[in-house]
């Protein structure tokens, strides 16, 4: 399984960015896809997630500013980040819980991080 994430960068406070993540491989079923973020010295924490059925979950700190969505193919997830603040600066990681054709279990997979810097 590969998770290809993109869309990070430098943005001024109040600006917007859109992160994308696509899962590829011999995927039988995807349970949930989401985004986590991590800053130096802190644990990785959930930003937002979306289930196959479309149920979403957000960290309190991003509610009303970030929107998670899935592509039509269901193996792609987007994170629209608006009204960015310096506290959003972090490395963002794509995550998915899925089952491969070769397995009977659902397992977690992680993409490479993409850096988001919010600074003037």
């Amino acid at each position: 399984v590969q998770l290809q994430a993109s869309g990070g960068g430098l943005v001024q406070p109040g600006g917007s960015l859109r992160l994308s993540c696509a899962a590829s491989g011999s995927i039988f079923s995807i349970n949930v896809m989401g985004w986590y973020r991590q800053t130096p010295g802190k644990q990785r924490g959930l930003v937002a997630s979306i289930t196959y059925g479309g149920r979403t979950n957000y960290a309190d700190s991003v509610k009303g500013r970030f929107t998670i969505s899935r592509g039509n193919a269901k193996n792609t997830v987007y994170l629209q980040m608006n009204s960015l603040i310096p506290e959003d600066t972090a490395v963002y990681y794509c995550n998915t819980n899925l089952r491969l054709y070769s397995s009977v279990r659902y397992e977690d997979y992680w993409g490479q991080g993409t850096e988001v810097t919010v600074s003037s």
Side-chain angles (χ1 to χ4, degrees):
V1 174
Q2 281 196 328
L3 293 179
Q4 187 64 43
S6 62
L10 172 65
V11 64
Q12 291 187 341
S16 299
L17 280 176
R18 189 188 194 212
L19 305 183
S20 301
C21 176
S24 61
S26 297
I27 300 169
F28 175 77
S29 176
I30 296 177
N31 181 32
V32 62
M33 297 188 76
W35 291 93
Y36 289 69
R37 66 187 181 187
Q38 187 171 24
T39 54
K42 292 190 176 182
Q43 283 190 327
R44 192 175 297 183
L46 175 70
V47 177
S49 64
I50 184 167
T51 68
Y52 182 84
R55 182 179 301 174
T56 58
N57 184 36
Y58 295 93
D60 288 342
S61 60
V62 307
K63 284 180 181 176
R65 300 187 298 121
F66 291 11
T67 302
I68 191 168
S69 62
R70 295 182 71 164
N72 290 333
K74 303 294 186 184
N75 66 330
T76 303
V77 65
Y78 305 100
L79 185 68
Q80 179 66 42
M81 304 186 294
N82 299 329
S83 302
L84 284 160
I85 59 178
E87 289 76 15
D88 295 319
T89 296
V91 178
Y92 285 69
Y93 295 91
C94 179
N95 168 270
T96 184
N97 182 263
L98 59 79
R99 176 186 161 189
L100 299 175
Y101 278 103
S102 60
S103 175
V104 297
R105 299 186 305 170
Y106 283 85
E107 297 181 83
D108 280 347
Y109 294 87
W110 293 91
Q112 87 284 7
T114 183
E115 195 161 352
V116 172
T117 302
V118 184
S119 175
S120 55

